[in-house]
Amino acid sequence: MSAILRQSYLEKIEWYLGKDTIIILTGQRRIGKSYILRLFRDKVSKDKRANIIFIDKEKHEFDNIKTYQDLNAYIDARRNKAKKNYILVDEIQDIEEFEKSVRSYYEEPDIELVITGSNSKMLSSDLSSLIGGRYKEIYIQALSYKEFMLFHQLTDSDDTLAKYIQFGGLPGLVKMGLDEQDAHEYQTDVYHTVLLKDVIMRNKIRNVPFLENLVRFLADNAGKIISANSIAKYMKSQGDSVTSTVIINYTKFLCDAYLIHKVNRYDIHGKKLFESNDKFYFEDNGLRNTLAGGSREGDIEKVIENVTYNHLIRIGYEVTVGQLQAGEIDFVCKKPQGQRIYVQASYIIADETTREREFGNLRAIKDNYPKYVISMTPLVGRQDSDGITHLHLRRFLTEGLE
């Protein structure tokens, strides 16, 4: 099988070349960062003026590169100042004090730096203080629906959408196929790798059973408004007695590893963020499904909301949860330029009660920003009603909000 280009990410990398900028690919482990870095390496290698120094910290041949001094020595032994040197380091956070190497090389005129990491701590105050704002983070997500179709050689259909909702967008599934048992085993392996390397080991967590219970709780309650106190009360009822502070810390560790994303609530009328009670979504809905167990029939609303959230991020929105006095708006979405939209995600709008819940909350917002309902209601392509656009999920995932 020939390499499948995730072209949008390659274009982002190429855009920042030559701008004295460190390019950092971030995202959950096994989400495709290494694949994109290798695609970039293969493309650059066609240029005879390029000298590529490639380091993959997940491969045993690079185990001896443990500190920034080791990294410097490896680079210096292979650097060719007569050429453009592309230093490509995969999972750089596994190298102690790597930021010192980054600082020493990135301003050299013959060097371009592209690195990857699976923990947002690599963009911590230590790195920021050493290099300021002279880096560009490119966030790599699980496969989009269109990429899923391309990877698995499927055409757009209700059946393909059902597979995407069930199996998610881990690129490695292309080697396993979409057999339920094989996919489950692979997803479980990925989950344990992320949890061990990027959460437990990095944060020296001792209460591993509680951490695993917490992840399963978050999977079962994806898209629900929850607080650290409410989690603590539930866990206590299950025999796990922990403080709210521990829960806040553990959820932060999970967010740092990009396994989950915390979404704050936004007071639409008061135009301010609330400081407690958030929603959590998973980076990959397939992983979420594996952790939650059971069939999708009982929690399809959660999964659709998770898929919708991830795609809104993919198309460039900053997302919060909207709070009204009389109800909730699933997503308040903004772009850096100031545009705002409101989005409700639903399964099937089959009766007037469901329609009033989804459309009524949007009508209660007294401003003129665009409002959308996204659902899997049959025969809905794009419909407009009272200034609210109703989109089928398939159309949203293939065409965006246009």
Side-chain angles (χ1 to χ4, degrees):
M1 180 178 173
S2 60
I4 300 172
L5 299 182
R6 299 185 75 181
Q7 190 62 37
S8 62
Y9 294 121
L10 291 176
E11 290 174 356
K12 288 179 182 179
I13 294 172
E14 292 169 355
W15 173 256
Y16 290 101
L17 294 175
K19 294 181 170 64
D20 293 328
T21 298
I22 302 160
I23 301 168
I24 306 176
L25 310 184
T26 60
Q28 179 191 290
R29 201 178 291 262
R30 299 289 189 271
I31 217 70
K33 303 184 304 297
S34 303
Y35 178 80
I36 293 167
L37 192 65
R38 289 194 295 270
L39 288 177
F40 176 71
R41 175 198 63 189
D42 295 344
K43 186 172 184 178
V44 171
S45 66
K46 298 175 183 178
D47 185 350
K48 294 181 179 179
R49 298 166 296 177
N51 178 48
I52 299 172
I53 304 171
F54 187 87
I55 299 166
D56 183 352
K57 277 299 294 173
E58 292 209 309
K59 298 293 177 60
H60 67 84
E61 62 197 271
F62 299 104
D63 283 347
N64 62 322
I65 303 178
K66 300 181 184 297
T67 68
Y68 78 95
Q69 293 101 327
D70 300 331
L71 180 58
N72 290 348
Y74 187 90
I75 292 171
D76 289 342
R78 291 158 179 80
R79 183 178 177 184
N80 183 345
K81 293 187 178 182
K83 293 187 174 185
K84 175 65 75 173
N85 292 273
Y86 291 85
I87 301 174
L88 313 178
V89 188
D90 196 16
E91 300 297 353
I92 198 171
Q93 80 276 353
D94 293 335
I95 299 174
E96 185 179 342
E97 296 184 290
F98 72 88
E99 60 271 13
K100 292 183 178 179
S101 289
V102 168
R103 179 184 62 179
S104 66
Y105 286 113
Y106 90 98
E107 286 186 324
E108 296 291 329
D110 62 309
I111 285 179
E112 294 283 359
L113 271 165
V114 185
I115 61 180
T116 83
S118 300
N119 196 289
S120 64
K121 285 185 178 179
M122 67 179 299
L123 299 177
S124 65
S125 57
D126 290 339
L127 180 58
S128 298
S129 63
L130 283 171
I131 64 175
R134 291 164 288 187
Y135 60 83
K136 177 60 182 178
E137 177 186 1
I138 299 175
Y139 167 45
I140 310 298
Q141 294 181 262
L143 298 179
S144 68
Y145 177 57
K146 292 170 72 173
E147 289 174 325
F148 176 85
M149 289 190 286
L150 184 62
F151 268 60
H152 294 282
Q153 300 180 340
L154 298 170
T155 57
D156 183 22
S157 68
D158 287 343
D159 183 63
T160 298
L161 178 61
K163 286 183 170 65
Y164 182 65
I165 288 172
Q166 170 70 19
F167 295 108
L170 291 179
L173 281 178
V174 73
K175 297 178 182 178
M176 311 298 297
L178 298 179
D179 173 80
E180 188 169 349
Q181 183 59 39
D182 291 342
H184 175 80
E185 290 179 1
Y186 176 74
Q187 289 162 336
T188 301
D189 178 64
V190 170
Y191 163 67
H192 285 140
T193 300
V194 173
L195 206 67
L196 176 64
K197 291 187 176 182
D198 296 321
V199 183
I200 296 170
M201 292 175 62
R202 183 159 297 279
N203 300 289
K204 298 179 174 59
I205 289 177
R206 295 181 179 179
N207 193 350
V208 176
F210 169 73
L211 175 67
E212 293 182 324
N213 287 339
L214 174 62
V215 177
R216 284 191 289 270
F217 174 86
L218 293 173
D220 195 47
N221 290 276
K224 289 186 178 180
I225 292 178
I226 53 179
S227 67
N229 286 333
S230 65
I231 297 174
K233 290 179 181 178
Y234 173 79
M235 291 299 182
K236 186 175 181 179
S237 72
Q238 301 300 304
D240 282 322
S241 184
V242 295
T243 66
S244 298
T245 300
V246 170
I247 291 170
I248 290 170
N249 288 336
Y250 278 23
T251 54
K252 182 181 184 303
F253 298 153
L254 294 167
C255 290
D256 285 343
Y258 299 97
L259 184 66
I260 62 172
H261 302 285
K262 184 178 81 168
V263 183
N264 300 117
R265 287 192 305 153
Y266 178 78
D267 183 351
I268 293 175
H269 294 314
K271 304 294 190 286
K272 64 180 180 180
L273 287 173
F274 290 102
E275 295 182 355
S276 62
N277 296 340
D278 308 298
K279 284 189 176 186
F280 292 90
Y281 297 101
F282 277 71
E283 169 62 36
D284 179 66
N285 53 286
L287 274 186
R288 180 263 158 203
N289 294 340
T290 290
L291 291 167
S295 69
R296 300 288 67 76
E297 294 178 6
D299 55 10
I300 187 65
E301 294 272 0
K302 302 175 189 176
V303 184
I304 289 175
E305 200 170 315
N306 205 121
V307 170
T308 301
Y309 166 79
N310 282 324
H311 198 64
L312 287 167
I313 296 295
R314 185 176 290 110
I315 60 179
Y317 286 100
E318 298 174 0
V319 179
T320 54
V321 176
Q323 186 65 44
L324 294 165
Q325 290 182 349
E328 176 190 304
I329 302 299
D330 288 335
F331 304 117
V332 179
C333 313
K334 298 179 182 178
K335 285 194 173 180
Q337 300 86 348
Q339 304 102 311
R340 182 191 301 172
I341 63 169
Y342 302 103
V343 176
Q344 291 281 72
S346 184
Y347 176 35
I348 293 176
I349 299 177
D351 54 50
E352 193 57 36
T353 300
T354 306
R355 173 172 290 276
E356 180 57 30
R357 182 183 70 235
E358 304 299 349
F359 285 79
N361 285 351
L362 290 172
R363 283 195 294 267
I365 304 172
K366 303 304 180 183
D367 63 34
N368 295 319
Y369 290 112
K371 301 172 179 68
Y372 298 88
V373 173
I374 295 170
S375 79
M376 292 181 64
T377 305
L379 304 181
V380 169
R382 179 188 181 98
Q383 297 179 359
D384 293 292
S385 174
D386 296 328
I388 300 170
T389 300
H390 188 185
L391 287 176
H392 193 281
L393 181 62
R394 277 175 55 196
R395 178 159 182 167
F396 169 62
L397 295 175
T398 54
E399 301 178 22
L401 296 169
E402 300 301 322

